[in-house]
Amino acid sequence: MFKAAKKDRISTQIINQIREAILQGEITPGQSLPPEKELVAQFGVSKHTLREALRTLEGMGLISIRRGAGGGPVVTEVEMETTKDFMASFLHFQNVSLHDLSEVRKIIEPYLARHAAETFTEADKQDLLRLHEKCQEIHRRDQSLIGAQVEIEFHVLLARKTGNPVLILILDFVNSLLAKTKKQFGPDNQFAEHVLEDHQKIIDAIIQKDPDAASTIMLRHIVAVEEELYQLEVSQHYEKGRTVLESGSENDKIHLE
């Protein structure tokens, strides 16, 4: 199945070969890789090099290494959380802004709201209403929605109901990043109330099967969230800059625009 790895970047070549075999369907989830002795012979490498490559593949979520007798590497389906972690690691170095996140949402979420108004069954509508009720309950308890997974789920559910795994991944990832942004800026009770009000309007449009209204309200909601968070960001930068200037610390100074 596999070819001997060349001496240059041996571990990487092993990873690429096994990964390609999995993605091409030559090895399927739940199926074990050949025994270690056989893999060592096929790749022409040491046990140490093979195990290093397998640990990397495990970190990528492509295999699970079972310990003990009868164990060994087994192919697994990559979980969404693992994929999101890799995406987050990449974007960490790309200086992703609030505007970047909002831009993606403006492109996708109005379509999802429209799609929901056109296609949602009664069961789908009840799922959306239950999520909204959970959001309201959280808000009643502590006057906040910051970091609430259920608030993210409200948006992700619209993607999930399309059955499109690409939309599901993008919405889940983008809204998870947005939730971290909210935690950083700490919006107040009024912000949470605005979110809940907009969610209710979106739900009403979906229930009334009004795709134009659902799309328009969703877009307005995303714009409003972006504007409120941006004002909080500006305010925090201003306060930080003023504190630095008052303390006279040169190392922490920021440029105020």
Side-chain angles (χ1 to χ4, degrees):
M1 178 184 295
F2 302 114
K3 300 177 182 179
K6 297 179 181 180
K7 291 184 178 181
D8 183 37
R9 302 179 66 186
I10 294 176
S11 181
T12 300
Q13 292 179 50
I14 295 171
I15 293 166
N16 289 340
Q17 285 195 56
I18 295 177
R19 178 177 178 274
E20 189 65 22
I22 293 171
L23 297 182
Q24 292 295 327
E26 296 176 33
I27 320 170
T28 57
Q31 185 177 348
S32 297
L33 293 179
E36 181 178 78
K37 186 176 180 180
E38 187 176 334
L39 287 173
V40 165
Q42 287 187 42
F43 287 118
V45 297
S46 67
K47 288 183 180 180
H48 173 77
T49 300
L50 175 66
R51 290 172 182 174
E52 179 184 341
L54 293 178
R55 282 194 294 269
T56 299
L57 286 163
E58 185 175 36
M60 294 168 66
L62 289 168
I63 66 171
S64 174
I65 301 177
R66 297 176 181 173
R67 316 298 174 185
V74 178
V75 176
T76 59
E77 290 189 19
V78 179
E79 297 180 353
M80 183 178 288
E81 289 305 314
T82 302
T83 304
K84 284 163 57 181
D85 287 343
F86 276 107
M87 292 170 65
S89 297
F90 168 75
L91 291 176
H92 175 76
F93 299 96
Q94 306 304 312
N95 297 318
V96 175
S97 68
L98 172 62
H99 175 71
D100 293 330
L101 297 177
S102 297
E103 190 170 30
V104 174
R105 297 186 70 204
K106 290 172 192 174
I107 294 170
I108 297 177
E109 295 203 45
Y111 163 77
L112 294 177
R114 173 179 293 277
H115 184 273
E118 293 172 340
T119 65
F120 264 25
T121 64
E122 287 305 314
D124 294 332
K125 294 172 184 176
Q126 288 303 314
D127 288 342
L128 193 60
L129 284 169
R130 277 192 290 271
L131 278 176
H132 185 53
E133 288 171 2
K134 288 181 180 179
C135 285
Q136 291 174 314
E137 177 59 30
I138 291 172
H139 179 57
R140 282 193 292 269
R141 286 202 307 266
D142 60 15
Q143 301 296 297
S144 174
L145 287 175
I146 299 174
Q149 182 63 32
V150 69
E151 198 271 325
I152 297 173
E153 282 296 316
F154 179 90
H155 295 272
V156 177
L157 182 138
L158 299 181
R160 188 172 292 117
K161 292 294 185 178
T162 68
N164 186 324
V166 178
L167 289 174
I168 296 169
L169 174 61
I170 293 173
L171 258 292
D172 192 302
F173 179 69
V174 169
N175 279 282
S176 293
L177 288 184
L178 186 65
K180 293 179 180 179
T181 302
K182 290 177 183 178
K183 280 186 177 181
Q184 178 184 348
F185 298 150
D188 58 14
N189 177 49
Q190 188 176 45
F191 176 89
E193 289 178 353
H194 290 166
V195 167
L196 290 173
E197 289 169 4
D198 286 349
H199 282 191
Q200 184 63 63
K201 292 175 183 177
I202 293 166
I203 291 171
D204 291 341
I206 291 172
I207 290 175
Q208 294 165 12
K209 296 184 179 296
D210 189 338
D212 289 339
S215 176
T216 299
I217 295 168
M218 178 64 85
L219 179 59
R220 288 175 181 168
H221 168 58
I222 294 167
V223 170
V225 167
E226 179 184 15
E227 289 177 350
E228 289 195 53
L229 290 177
Y230 176 72
Q231 291 303 319
L232 287 171
E233 181 181 25
V234 170
S235 176
Q236 286 191 8
H237 283 174
Y238 174 78
E239 289 300 323
K240 179 180 178 182
R242 187 174 64 177
T243 300
V244 168
L245 289 172
E246 289 174 352
S247 68
S249 173
E250 294 293 332
N251 293 332
D252 296 326
K253 279 188 178 180
I254 62 173
H255 295 287
L256 300 177
E257 296 182 1

